[in-house]
Amino acid sequence: MSFSPLIRQLIDALRGLPGVGPKTAQRMALNLLERDREAGRHLAHALESAMEGVGYCRRCRTLSETEICDMCDDPRRDDGLLCVLQSPADVWAVEMAGSFRGRYFVLKGHLSPIDGLGPEEIGIPALLERVEGSAVAEVILATNPTVEGEATAHYIAGLLKPLGIKVSRIAHGVPLGGELEFIDGGTLAHALAGRTAIG
Amino acid sequence: MSFSPLIRQLIDALRGLPGVGPKTAQRMALNLLERDREAGRHLAHALESAMEGVGYCRRCRTLSETEICDMCDDPRRDDGLLCVLQSPADVWAVEMAGSFRGRYFVLKGHLSPIDGLGPEEIGIPALLERVEGSAVAEVILATNPTVEGEATAHYIAGLLKPLGIKVSRIAHGVPLGGELEFIDGGTLAHALAGRTAIG
Ligand SMILES: [Zn+2]
Ligand SMILES: [Zn+2]
């Protein structure tokens, strides 16, 4: 069986999406071509705009199309409280939970010496810079409740404590071994409220 | 929670894909933005090219970017055998099965008087035109094994028989109530081989 080149190329490109296998990619391609070309054109445009236009917030390092993101820019949020997470997806998850009104700082994942990911690589010096001389009074470490996330949290706690900053860890209402972005909003809100002092 | 406009637009556009809900669309958007912008740009380009460049084969009416598709153009295929299907997806499914070497004709779905879909709307006059005065000796009706697909097959059989053309129906190895495009190649090959005369 040979699809024509443009259809083959479309199916292959759709397989670049996470969780999309060959059968699903075929169904997607067919659906767009047969039933909704407008949706296909719209998606092409949205992809192009986002791939070009979305960068990272200079302040919190989450995905943002402005130099300073809306969350960093919002004057109603609490400057004294800084939530540290492993990825923009985790920021989205905490925002969905809806109860947190402080600021964010996004690391590039967790410490993983075996993969060559030390403090520098995941952005810990930038976090210290963000905190020092700022209004931040408490840092909530909301790295994933995995072995690596715990280790990363403890490493950061060890650096922040000497600076006289209160450091807390989200409560283990979040299931051990889980990934923050897949946890429901209620559990996350609960875990944030029940955070405990660390170190 | 408010995503920035470009990210929101991307998530919404991804939800235009079949089977993609809000959580999946978020995960896809994040994956492209954080890990693979090249894949995102590639998909944008593939979508644009396919939405503009893919039309329908003038002869068999399947999706094609050339006026006459490769299957209609292939001199090694049997002109005497014409397989009639409900959609381009079904052509793909039969081609994947790999055993059929005749020609195709694609209807626009099945007869559905209640939805205003009569013979004209689904392309039956064009099918008759395709068959009359051609080398087609046998028409295999491979519409879906559903009530509507059966009714459509019987309607077409009633029109072709008087023309002295052999008309067959794919064997009911295909599960009743199923949709052709989701059936495995082996079953489809078997159903084609075991086709029976109709009417
Ligand atoms: Zn920010
Ligand atoms: Zn064709």
Side-chain angles (χ1 to χ4, degrees):
Chain A
M1 165 65 187
S2 57
F3 295 103
S4 63
L6 288 179
I7 296 176
R8 160 61 49 209
Q9 185 189 313
L10 176 57
I11 292 171
D12 287 348
L14 285 164
R15 291 192 61 187
L17 294 171
V20 175
K23 271 273 165 194
T24 304
Q26 268 183 48
R27 192 157 62 249
M28 286 174 168
L30 191 87
N31 191 281
L32 293 172
L33 287 166
E34 280 268 280
R35 280 183 272 277
D36 206 349
R37 299 214 179 193
E38 209 33 71
R41 284 188 199 97
H42 178 61
L43 177 54
H45 182 75
L47 279 163
E48 240 165 39
S49 308
M51 296 305 120
E52 297 313 316
V54 177
Y56 291 89
C57 172
R58 223 163 34 122
R59 197 159 169 75
C60 74
R61 302 187 157 202
T62 199
L63 288 164
S64 174
E65 62 207 68
T66 47
E67 245 192 279
I68 302 295
C69 77
D70 284 359
M71 292 169 292
C72 287
D73 206 36
D74 185 346
R76 292 161 305 177
R77 299 189 76 125
D78 182 355
D79 280 324
L81 206 52
L82 186 75
C83 183
V84 175
L85 307 115
Q86 287 185 205
S87 85
D90 296 338
V91 174
W92 297 356
V94 173
E95 280 294 289
M96 297 288 184
S99 66
F100 182 70
R101 299 297 298 157
R103 306 288 180 182
Y104 294 105
F105 188 88
V106 180
L107 300 171
K108 276 222 164 298
H110 54 68
L111 292 171
S112 182
I114 207 165
D115 302 309
L117 299 176
E120 181 76 42
E121 284 73 24
I122 71 167
I124 289 178
L127 168 60
L128 294 179
E129 211 177 294
R130 164 75 179 81
V131 169
E132 282 175 308
S134 78
V136 173
E138 177 180 354
V139 169
I140 305 176
L141 297 168
T143 49
N144 280 339
T146 56
V147 173
E148 298 86 353
E150 289 294 332
T152 305
H154 276 91
Y155 180 85
I156 296 171
L159 296 173
L160 291 176
K161 286 261 164 171
L163 305 178
I165 289 163
K166 186 177 168 197
V167 183
S168 55
R169 178 89 175 103
I170 47 167
H172 280 87
V174 289
L176 266 167
E179 304 218 59
L180 225 62
E181 67 171 301
F182 300 116
I183 295 166
D184 68 288
T187 305
L188 263 175
H190 187 83
L192 282 163
R195 66 186 181 272
T196 53
I198 197 171
Chain B
M1 165 65 189
S2 57
F3 295 102
S4 64
L6 289 179
I7 296 176
R8 159 62 49 212
Q9 185 188 314
L10 176 57
I11 292 171
D12 287 348
L14 285 164
R15 292 193 58 187
L17 295 171
V20 175
K23 270 275 166 193
T24 304
Q26 269 183 45
R27 192 158 61 251
M28 287 173 167
L30 190 87
N31 191 281
L32 293 172
L33 286 166
E34 281 267 281
R35 280 183 271 277
D36 206 350
R37 297 214 180 191
E38 209 32 70
R41 285 189 198 97
H42 179 62
L43 177 54
H45 182 76
L47 280 163
E48 240 167 39
S49 307
M51 297 306 119
E52 298 313 314
V54 177
Y56 291 90
C57 171
R58 223 163 37 124
R59 197 160 170 77
C60 73
R61 301 188 158 202
T62 199
L63 288 165
S64 174
E65 62 206 67
T66 47
E67 245 193 281
I68 302 294
C69 77
D70 283 359
M71 292 168 291
C72 287
D73 207 37
D74 185 345
R76 291 161 305 176
R77 300 189 76 124
D78 182 355
D79 280 326
L81 205 53
L82 186 74
C83 183
V84 175
L85 307 116
Q86 287 185 203
S87 85
D90 296 338
V91 174
W92 295 357
V94 172
E95 280 294 290
M96 296 288 184
S99 66
F100 182 71
R101 299 297 300 159
R103 306 288 181 184
Y104 294 105
F105 188 89
V106 180
L107 300 171
K108 274 220 164 301
H110 53 68
L111 292 171
S112 182
I114 208 168
D115 303 308
L117 299 176
E120 182 76 43
E121 284 74 25
I122 72 167
I124 289 178
L127 168 61
L128 294 178
E129 212 177 293
R130 166 73 180 81
V131 169
E132 282 174 310
S134 78
V136 172
E138 177 179 355
V139 169
I140 304 176
L141 298 169
T143 50
N144 281 339
T146 57
V147 173
E148 298 86 353
E150 290 293 332
T152 305
H154 277 92
Y155 180 86
I156 296 171
L159 297 173
L160 291 176
K161 286 260 163 173
L163 306 178
I165 288 164
K166 185 177 169 198
V167 183
S168 56
R169 178 87 175 105
I170 48 167
H172 280 87
V174 289
L176 266 166
E179 304 218 58
L180 225 61
E181 66 172 301
F182 301 115
I183 294 165
D184 67 289
T187 305
L188 264 174
H190 187 85
L192 282 163
R195 67 187 181 271
T196 54
I198 197 171

